[in-house]
């Protein structure tokens, strides 16, 4: 299967090329030329498989230039051997009221990013062998908190790869910051940036495609790549758990094979929910993909009126990984909605850059409505739903997952739709212990580890080991940069022995 770019349909590259390079030279995003199709028999077969085998089935449809043995080895390394604290990488919890929670946070960094970033390094090393003949890869990551740590945890000490992570100073949770600042490995660098996530992401995207920077990297035998969800290698592992969750529901006879379900996805950069869109287009019986936003509700408005307008205030919330105004992966959806018209996508992206705003056509809006429903929840609503969910059904959720719980309530109230819903839970509540404690009506201790302890004692839920270990970990990274200092730092890091 060949890949092309959202802004240049004349391109045709292999999946290895798309993954090794991360982003297309003209600034577009790689995506498959055709979406592979599966039938119900294919889905039925997944029911009898373990998670890694399910992953291999999905991956092999998209990554056709990877050998079976490479994929088999990659999924084993990523999803077995105690990498995830549960023996099943993406377990489903039945709330017994038509809601099922897909817990995607049992990996080493306690957020759903591990689902893809434990696998991506294996894919990238194989891909680089094929298409980069021995050059060093320098991965640049802009993070709103969770991607940074998950990428560091995936790529530290991987041969032939360096990774530099940039996060907004004061824009991430205390636990997220500590996770990144204490990262081990000789091939890693971590920086705080003065500004918000969009500032960091914009600067990283600029550096990726800056001819002068690319020339300087070539001088030290290095190519840039990305571990953000703009990399197709991040998207494809996420498609797996949509199929896996559905197969689980079929296996436990909660859903009849072929009957539709809804997915509810706490959304920021539109990567997670886009994977659900691909699953639906492949043939998974999905009714609606429900896009849940926090107070930064640019996507909600887009879903309602077809206008993407980032001219609005940016809010720092208790769900920081969703504090985003420019959702990069929407570009891939636009490409599909407009009938793969690369010129139209390039035009909309140009408008976004110049005016921070674009509108889609009525035809595109109609297609959007067929698959998506959007809603937003503010912080007080989320705090209430965290408390209510624990009080009423004894289930503890984090503030990101709370956004999805709340928007699903809105969806049900507005549409009356009661078919089974799978709510994607994207982070461990312990990663945001202070905010969760506050939501439960307790005092928030100044120290984050005291918060973790209090939350565990108050709810009986166990603390994930990787978070508990942070209390004694040594801080390695403290540098704070202005966005325009990033190129110079990157150059120094690339050339460092
Ligand atoms: C990254 C993240 C999200 C948002 O996912 P996108 O793919 O960016 O839409 C939601 N919740 C958590 C906890 C995250 O880490």
């Amino acid at each position: 299967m060949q890949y092309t770019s959202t802004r240049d349909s004349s391109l045709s590259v292999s999946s290895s090329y798309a993954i090794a390079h991360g982003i297309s030279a003209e600034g577009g995003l790689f995506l498959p030329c055709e979406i592979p199709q599966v039938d119900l028999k294919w889905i039925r077969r997944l029911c009898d498989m373990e998670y890694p085998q399910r992953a291999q089935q999905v991956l092999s449809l998209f990554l056709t230039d990877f050998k079976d043995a490479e994929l088999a080895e990659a999924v084993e390394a990523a999803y077995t051997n105690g990498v995830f604290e549960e023996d099943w990488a993406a377990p489903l919890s039945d709330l017994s009221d038509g809601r099922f929670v897909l817990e995607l946070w049992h990996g080493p960094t306690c957020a759903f990013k591990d689902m893809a970033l434990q696998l991506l390094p294996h894919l990238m090393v194989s891909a680089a062998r094929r298409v980069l003949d021995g050059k060093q890869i320098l991965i640049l990551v802009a993070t709103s908190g969770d991607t940074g740590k998950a990428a560091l945890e995936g790529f530290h000490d991987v041969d032939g790869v360096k990774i530099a992570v940039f996060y907004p100073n004061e824009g991430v949770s205390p636990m997220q910051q500590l996770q990144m600042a204490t990262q081990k490995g000789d091939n890693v660098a971590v920086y705080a940036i003065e500004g918000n996530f969009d500032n960091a992401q914009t600067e990283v995207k600029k550096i990726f495609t800056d001819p002068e920077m690319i020339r300087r990297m070539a001088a030290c035998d290095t190519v840039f790549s990305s571990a953000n969800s703009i990399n197709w290698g991040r998207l494809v592992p996420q498609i797996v758990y949509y199929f896996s969750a559905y197969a689980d529901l079929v296996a436990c006879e909660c859903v009849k094979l072929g009957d539709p379900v809804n997915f509810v996805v706490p959304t920021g950069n539109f990567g997670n929910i886009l994977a659900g869109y691909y699953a639906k287009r492949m043939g998974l019986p999905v009714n609606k993909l429900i896009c849940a936003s926090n107070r930064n509700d640019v996507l909600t408005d887009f879903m309602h009126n077809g206008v993407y307008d980032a001219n609005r205030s940016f809010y720092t919330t208790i769900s920081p990984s969703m504090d985003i105004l420019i959702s990069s992966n929407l570009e891939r959806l636009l490409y599909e909605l407009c009938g793969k018209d690369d010129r139209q996508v390039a035009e909309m992206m140009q408008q976004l850059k110049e005016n921070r705003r674009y509108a889609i056509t009525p035809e595109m809006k109609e297609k959007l409505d067929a698959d998506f429903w959007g809603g937003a929840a503010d912080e007080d609503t989320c705090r209430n739903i965290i408390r209510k969910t624990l009080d009423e059904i004894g289930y503890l959720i984090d503030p990101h997952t709370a956004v999805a719980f709340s928007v699903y309530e809105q969806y049900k109230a507005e549409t009356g739709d009661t078919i089974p819903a799978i709510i994607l839970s994207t982070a461990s509540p312990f990663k945001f212990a202070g905010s969760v404690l506050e939501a439960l009506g307790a005092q928030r201790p100044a120290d984050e580890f005291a918060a973790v302890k209090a939350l565990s004692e108050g709810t009986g839920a166990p603390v994930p080991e990787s978070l508990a270990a942070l209390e004694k970990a040594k801080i390695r990274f403290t540098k704070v940069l202005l966005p325009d200092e990033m190129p110079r730092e990157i150059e120094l890091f690339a050339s460092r022995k």
Side-chain angles (χ1 to χ4, degrees):
M1 169 183 298
Q2 291 300 105
Y3 285 72
T4 189
S5 163
T6 50
R7 299 188 204 175
D8 182 0
S9 295
S10 70
L11 273 179
S12 174
V13 301
S14 67
S15 59
S16 293
Y17 185 96
I19 290 172
H21 289 273
I23 189 170
S24 187
E26 83 293 344
L29 306 187
F30 290 120
L31 76 187
C33 295
E34 305 291 334
I35 298 174
Q37 300 296 303
V38 301
D39 57 17
L40 294 179
K41 237 170 54 204
W42 187 92
I43 296 172
R44 158 82 71 198
R45 278 205 306 272
L46 297 180
C47 296
D48 303 322
M49 295 180 194
E50 302 279 314
Y51 194 85
Q53 283 69 50
R54 290 178 181 175
Q56 178 158 6
Q57 292 300 313
V58 174
L59 260 52
S60 66
L61 298 174
F62 285 97
L63 310 182
T64 47
D65 58 328
F66 284 66
K67 297 187 192 65
D68 285 346
E70 278 176 336
L71 292 181
E73 215 173 286
V75 296
E76 282 296 317
Y79 300 122
T80 57
N81 304 324
V83 173
F84 287 77
E85 279 195 17
E86 301 281 310
D87 48 5
W88 192 266
L92 202 57
S93 264
D94 184 353
L95 301 188
S96 303
D97 54 8
R99 293 179 300 172
F100 298 84
V101 183
L102 180 59
E103 295 177 356
L104 299 172
W105 45 263
H106 293 286
T109 76
C110 302
F112 95 97
K113 308 292 197 292
D114 289 326
M115 297 303 301
L117 281 162
Q118 282 301 308
L119 185 61
L120 181 63
H122 302 283
L123 301 180
M124 198 173 283
V125 168
S126 298
R129 246 194 324 258
R130 266 188 289 283
V131 298
L132 292 182
D133 48 71
K135 290 193 197 72
Q136 166 178 270
I137 295 179
L138 173 50
I139 294 174
L140 303 181
V141 180
T143 182
S144 55
D146 289 330
T147 296
K149 177 59 180 180
L152 289 163
E153 202 51 48
F155 281 101
H156 75 88
D157 298 319
V158 172
D159 277 344
V161 179
K162 283 184 182 174
I163 173 165
V165 169
F166 304 90
Y167 69 85
N169 203 18
E170 327 246 311
V172 299
S173 85
M175 202 55 98
Q176 289 176 319
Q177 183 182 16
L178 201 58
Q179 280 185 313
M180 292 188 275
T182 56
Q183 177 63 44
K184 294 191 180 122
D186 293 331
N187 62 336
V188 306
V190 177
Y191 306 94
I193 299 300
E194 292 292 3
N196 62 35
F197 170 71
D198 289 315
N199 302 131
Q201 175 163 262
T202 302
E203 190 63 28
V204 163
K205 276 201 196 163
K206 209 161 86 195
I207 291 169
F208 267 129
T209 48
D210 176 16
E212 176 59 20
M213 280 303 280
I214 292 170
R215 199 186 57 71
R216 288 186 196 175
M217 289 303 115
C220 54
D221 219 18
T222 297
V223 292
F224 285 135
S225 190
S226 166
N228 279 95
S229 52
I230 55 173
N231 191 320
W232 180 255
R234 269 284 298 281
L235 256 295
V236 68
Q238 295 176 178
I239 298 172
V240 176
Y241 50 72
Y242 285 89
F243 278 97
S244 178
Y246 188 85
D248 283 347
L249 287 188
V250 172
C252 71
E253 296 180 355
C254 299
V255 159
K256 212 163 92 246
L257 183 67
D259 283 357
V261 297
N262 291 315
F263 282 97
V264 193
V265 190
T267 296
N269 224 358
F270 211 75
N272 199 355
I273 197 168
L274 187 73
Y277 171 79
Y278 277 100
K280 184 173 199 275
R281 290 282 309 272
M282 287 166 74
L284 187 69
V286 179
N287 174 44
K288 283 283 192 275
L289 296 158
I290 299 166
C291 178
S293 301
N294 67 19
R295 196 177 170 204
N296 295 292
D297 55 358
V298 59
L299 282 167
T300 313
D301 291 348
F302 174 70
M303 301 264 164
H304 289 171
N305 58 25
V307 177
Y308 194 96
D309 191 348
N311 296 299
R312 60 180 71 212
S313 304
F314 176 93
Y315 300 108
T316 302
T317 73
I318 56 171
S319 45
S321 300
M322 298 160 65
D323 292 344
I324 292 174
L325 290 182
I326 308 283
S327 293
S328 299
N329 268 295
L330 199 59
E331 182 170 345
R332 286 187 168 109
L333 180 66
L334 295 176
Y335 184 82
E336 302 292 342
L337 294 180
C338 71
K340 307 187 177 189
D341 184 340
D342 54 350
R343 286 230 303 275
Q344 202 177 340
V345 175
E347 168 66 19
M348 286 185 281
M349 291 302 106
Q350 190 59 29
Q351 287 176 15
L352 182 63
K353 198 165 143 191
E354 282 168 15
N355 313 321
R356 293 177 68 79
R357 182 182 193 282
Y358 61 82
I360 60 174
T361 64
E363 296 79 48
M364 290 171 73
K365 177 67 167 60
E366 206 172 299
K367 287 194 206 163
L368 180 73
D369 292 344
D371 292 328
F372 292 91
W373 193 93
D378 64 24
E379 291 182 280
D380 278 340
T381 309
C382 289
R383 288 190 190 98
N384 286 336
I385 210 148
I386 290 173
R387 192 174 56 239
K388 191 175 100 176
T389 308
L390 185 68
D391 284 352
E392 289 177 2
I393 56 174
Y395 190 76
L396 184 63
I397 55 176
D398 94 291
H400 302 78
T401 308
V403 176
F405 269 62
S406 169
V407 169
Y408 179 60
E409 282 194 349
Q410 287 174 37
Y411 172 80
K412 246 173 64 169
E414 269 183 42
T415 63
D417 182 1
T418 56
I419 66 169
I422 301 173
I423 303 177
L424 277 59
S425 176
T426 50
S428 160
F430 288 98
K431 200 161 184 180
F432 304 93
S435 301
V436 173
L437 263 188
E438 242 170 15
L440 296 176
Q443 200 76 12
R444 179 181 192 147
D447 174 56
E448 194 65 8
F449 291 101
V452 166
K453 269 188 208 96
L455 185 60
S456 180
E457 279 163 16
T459 62
V463 182
E465 276 169 40
S466 59
L467 294 183
L470 281 179
E471 192 166 5
K472 299 205 171 65
K474 189 167 153 277
I475 306 248
R476 291 184 67 202
F477 300 100
T478 54
K479 214 172 219 175
V480 184
L481 301 178
L482 293 168
D484 63 6
E485 294 173 312
M486 286 164 61
R488 174 88 193 117
E489 279 295 327
I490 288 169
E491 217 183 320
L492 283 174
F493 179 55
S495 54
R496 202 179 77 194
K497 286 287 171 264

mmCIF file of all heavy atoms in Angstrom, residues 136 161-162 185-188 217 219-222 476 489-497:
data_model
loop_
_atom_site.group_PDB
_atom_site.id
_atom_site.type_symbol
_atom_site.label_atom_id
_atom_site.label_comp_id
_atom_site.label_asym_id
_atom_site.label_seq_id
_atom_site.Cartn_x
_atom_site.Cartn_y
_atom_site.Cartn_z
ATOM 1 N N GLN A 136 21.399 9.112 11.214
ATOM 2 C CA GLN A 136 20.811 9.258 12.546
ATOM 3 C C GLN A 136 19.438 9.938 12.443
ATOM 4 O O GLN A 136 19.260 10.835 11.630
ATOM 5 C CB GLN A 136 21.751 10.109 13.403
ATOM 6 C CG GLN A 136 21.124 10.631 14.684
ATOM 7 C CD GLN A 136 22.107 11.424 15.535
ATOM 8 O OE1 GLN A 136 22.793 10.882 16.376
ATOM 9 N NE2 GLN A 136 22.156 12.733 15.296
ATOM 10 N N VAL A 161 18.958 6.800 17.186
ATOM 11 C CA VAL A 161 17.883 7.783 17.360
ATOM 12 C C VAL A 161 18.232 8.724 18.510
ATOM 13 O O VAL A 161 18.743 8.293 19.537
ATOM 14 C CB VAL A 161 16.543 7.076 17.704
ATOM 15 C CG1 VAL A 161 15.426 8.089 17.906
ATOM 16 C CG2 VAL A 161 16.159 6.066 16.633
ATOM 17 N N LYS A 162 17.985 10.033 18.294
ATOM 18 C CA LYS A 162 17.990 10.988 19.413
ATOM 19 C C LYS A 162 16.607 11.597 19.507
ATOM 20 O O LYS A 162 15.900 11.672 18.506
ATOM 21 C CB LYS A 162 19.002 12.109 19.159
ATOM 22 C CG LYS A 162 20.450 11.720 19.398
ATOM 23 C CD LYS A 162 21.342 12.925 19.206
ATOM 24 C CE LYS A 162 22.807 12.531 19.394
ATOM 25 N NZ LYS A 162 23.704 13.668 19.060
ATOM 26 N N GLY A 185 18.480 8.132 30.051
ATOM 27 C CA GLY A 185 18.906 7.833 28.687
ATOM 28 C C GLY A 185 19.928 8.836 28.190
ATOM 29 O O GLY A 185 19.891 10.009 28.551
ATOM 30 N N ASP A 186 20.865 8.363 27.347
ATOM 31 C CA ASP A 186 21.925 9.235 26.832
ATOM 32 C C ASP A 186 21.517 9.963 25.562
ATOM 33 O O ASP A 186 22.233 10.845 25.097
ATOM 34 C CB ASP A 186 23.170 8.383 26.528
ATOM 35 C CG ASP A 186 23.767 7.813 27.796
ATOM 36 O OD1 ASP A 186 23.610 8.472 28.853
ATOM 37 O OD2 ASP A 186 24.363 6.722 27.736
ATOM 38 N N ASN A 187 20.415 9.569 24.967
ATOM 39 C CA ASN A 187 20.026 10.137 23.667
ATOM 40 C C ASN A 187 18.822 11.059 23.790
ATOM 41 O O ASN A 187 18.111 11.279 22.827
ATOM 42 C CB ASN A 187 19.703 8.991 22.690
ATOM 43 C CG ASN A 187 18.519 8.153 23.168
ATOM 44 O OD1 ASN A 187 18.219 8.106 24.362
ATOM 45 N ND2 ASN A 187 17.844 7.502 22.235
ATOM 46 N N VAL A 188 18.566 11.579 25.009
ATOM 47 C CA VAL A 188 17.354 12.379 25.222
ATOM 48 C C VAL A 188 17.694 13.805 25.666
ATOM 49 O O VAL A 188 18.732 14.042 26.286
ATOM 50 C CB VAL A 188 16.433 11.738 26.287
ATOM 51 C CG1 VAL A 188 16.118 10.294 25.938
ATOM 52 C CG2 VAL A 188 17.059 11.806 27.672
ATOM 53 N N MET A 217 21.272 19.715 9.468
ATOM 54 C CA MET A 217 21.151 18.338 9.963
ATOM 55 C C MET A 217 21.903 17.388 9.036
ATOM 56 O O MET A 217 22.629 16.503 9.495
ATOM 57 C CB MET A 217 19.680 17.918 10.052
ATOM 58 C CG MET A 217 18.892 18.587 11.145
ATOM 59 S SD MET A 217 19.592 18.332 12.791
ATOM 60 C CE MET A 217 20.029 20.022 13.194
ATOM 61 N N ALA A 219 24.436 17.945 7.387
ATOM 62 C CA ALA A 219 25.877 18.090 7.621
ATOM 63 C C ALA A 219 26.348 17.184 8.757
ATOM 64 O O ALA A 219 27.513 16.789 8.799
ATOM 65 C CB ALA A 219 26.207 19.547 7.929
ATOM 66 N N CYS A 220 25.477 16.858 9.703
ATOM 67 C CA CYS A 220 25.883 15.890 10.723
ATOM 68 C C CYS A 220 25.138 14.562 10.546
ATOM 69 O O CYS A 220 24.863 13.861 11.510
ATOM 70 C CB CYS A 220 25.778 16.464 12.149
ATOM 71 S SG CYS A 220 24.190 17.145 12.593
ATOM 72 N N ASP A 221 24.814 14.257 9.270
ATOM 73 C CA ASP A 221 24.266 12.952 8.900
ATOM 74 C C ASP A 221 22.987 12.600 9.662
ATOM 75 O O ASP A 221 22.786 11.463 10.097
ATOM 76 C CB ASP A 221 25.334 11.871 9.157
ATOM 77 C CG ASP A 221 25.305 10.823 8.047
ATOM 78 O OD1 ASP A 221 24.734 11.120 6.980
ATOM 79 O OD2 ASP A 221 25.823 9.717 8.263
ATOM 80 N N THR A 222 22.132 13.605 9.822
ATOM 81 C CA THR A 222 20.923 13.437 10.632
ATOM 82 C C THR A 222 19.694 13.832 9.827
ATOM 83 O O THR A 222 19.754 14.764 9.021
ATOM 84 C CB THR A 222 21.017 14.340 11.889
ATOM 85 O OG1 THR A 222 22.126 13.915 12.669
ATOM 86 C CG2 THR A 222 19.759 14.287 12.723
ATOM 87 N N ARG A 476 16.996 15.741 35.936
ATOM 88 C CA ARG A 476 18.110 15.903 34.988
ATOM 89 C C ARG A 476 17.973 17.139 34.106
ATOM 90 O O ARG A 476 18.960 17.670 33.614
ATOM 91 C CB ARG A 476 18.185 14.680 34.068
ATOM 92 C CG ARG A 476 18.609 13.397 34.737
ATOM 93 C CD ARG A 476 18.726 12.298 33.696
ATOM 94 N NE ARG A 476 19.806 12.527 32.747
ATOM 95 C CZ ARG A 476 19.882 11.984 31.536
ATOM 96 N NH1 ARG A 476 18.923 11.185 31.103
ATOM 97 N NH2 ARG A 476 20.900 12.234 30.745
ATOM 98 N N GLU A 489 19.419 25.217 19.923
ATOM 99 C CA GLU A 489 19.549 24.093 20.866
ATOM 100 C C GLU A 489 19.497 22.757 20.130
ATOM 101 O O GLU A 489 20.222 21.817 20.457
ATOM 102 C CB GLU A 489 18.417 24.132 21.901
ATOM 103 C CG GLU A 489 18.625 25.078 23.044
ATOM 104 C CD GLU A 489 19.801 24.717 23.955
ATOM 105 O OE1 GLU A 489 20.083 23.518 24.131
ATOM 106 O OE2 GLU A 489 20.442 25.652 24.459
ATOM 107 N N ILE A 490 18.628 22.685 19.155
ATOM 108 C CA ILE A 490 18.468 21.446 18.393
ATOM 109 C C ILE A 490 19.752 21.121 17.641
ATOM 110 O O ILE A 490 20.205 19.976 17.597
ATOM 111 C CB ILE A 490 17.269 21.574 17.424
ATOM 112 C CG1 ILE A 490 15.969 21.544 18.230
ATOM 113 C CG2 ILE A 490 17.278 20.480 16.363
ATOM 114 C CD1 ILE A 490 14.735 21.919 17.444
ATOM 115 N N GLU A 491 20.352 22.171 17.085
ATOM 116 C CA GLU A 491 21.595 21.958 16.349
ATOM 117 C C GLU A 491 22.704 21.434 17.279
ATOM 118 O O GLU A 491 23.428 20.504 16.951
ATOM 119 C CB GLU A 491 22.015 23.288 15.746
ATOM 120 C CG GLU A 491 22.618 23.146 14.382
ATOM 121 C CD GLU A 491 23.071 24.499 13.881
ATOM 122 O OE1 GLU A 491 22.355 25.498 14.107
ATOM 123 O OE2 GLU A 491 24.174 24.544 13.306
ATOM 124 N N LEU A 492 22.808 22.054 18.447
ATOM 125 C CA LEU A 492 23.816 21.613 19.426
ATOM 126 C C LEU A 492 23.588 20.144 19.821
ATOM 127 O O LEU A 492 24.519 19.345 19.865
ATOM 128 C CB LEU A 492 23.738 22.481 20.693
ATOM 129 C CG LEU A 492 24.338 23.866 20.603
ATOM 130 C CD1 LEU A 492 24.042 24.648 21.887
ATOM 131 C CD2 LEU A 492 25.848 23.788 20.369
ATOM 132 N N PHE A 493 22.342 19.824 20.065
ATOM 133 C CA PHE A 493 21.996 18.474 20.504
ATOM 134 C C PHE A 493 22.280 17.453 19.392
ATOM 135 O O PHE A 493 22.803 16.362 19.646
ATOM 136 C CB PHE A 493 20.521 18.431 20.927
ATOM 137 C CG PHE A 493 20.038 17.082 21.378
ATOM 138 C CD1 PHE A 493 20.693 16.394 22.392
ATOM 139 C CD2 PHE A 493 18.920 16.487 20.794
ATOM 140 C CE1 PHE A 493 20.246 15.148 22.813
ATOM 141 C CE2 PHE A 493 18.465 15.249 21.219
ATOM 142 C CZ PHE A 493 19.133 14.581 22.213
ATOM 143 N N ALA A 494 21.950 17.831 18.144
ATOM 144 C CA ALA A 494 22.148 16.910 17.014
ATOM 145 C C ALA A 494 23.624 16.565 16.838
ATOM 146 O O ALA A 494 23.982 15.441 16.513
ATOM 147 C CB ALA A 494 21.588 17.506 15.731
ATOM 148 N N SER A 495 24.492 17.568 17.041
ATOM 149 C CA SER A 495 25.909 17.354 16.751
ATOM 150 C C SER A 495 26.655 16.773 17.963
ATOM 151 O O SER A 495 27.818 16.391 17.860
ATOM 152 C CB SER A 495 26.570 18.657 16.301
ATOM 153 O OG SER A 495 26.322 19.641 17.279
ATOM 154 N N ARG A 496 25.983 16.728 19.132
ATOM 155 C CA ARG A 496 26.631 16.204 20.334
ATOM 156 C C ARG A 496 26.935 14.729 20.182
ATOM 157 O O ARG A 496 26.147 13.973 19.645
ATOM 158 C CB ARG A 496 25.671 16.414 21.521
ATOM 159 C CG ARG A 496 26.354 16.433 22.855
ATOM 160 C CD ARG A 496 25.318 16.674 23.948
ATOM 161 N NE ARG A 496 24.554 15.465 24.233
ATOM 162 C CZ ARG A 496 23.431 15.443 24.939
ATOM 163 N NH1 ARG A 496 22.910 16.557 25.412
ATOM 164 N NH2 ARG A 496 22.814 14.296 25.177
ATOM 165 N N LYS A 497 28.114 14.346 20.641
ATOM 166 C CA LYS A 497 28.507 12.935 20.505
ATOM 167 C C LYS A 497 27.825 12.085 21.568
ATOM 168 O O LYS A 497 27.607 12.530 22.669
ATOM 169 C CB LYS A 497 30.024 12.779 20.634
ATOM 170 C CG LYS A 497 30.752 13.254 19.411
ATOM 171 C CD LYS A 497 30.584 12.267 18.230
ATOM 172 C CE LYS A 497 31.127 12.835 16.944
ATOM 173 N NZ LYS A 497 30.133 13.464 16.091
#
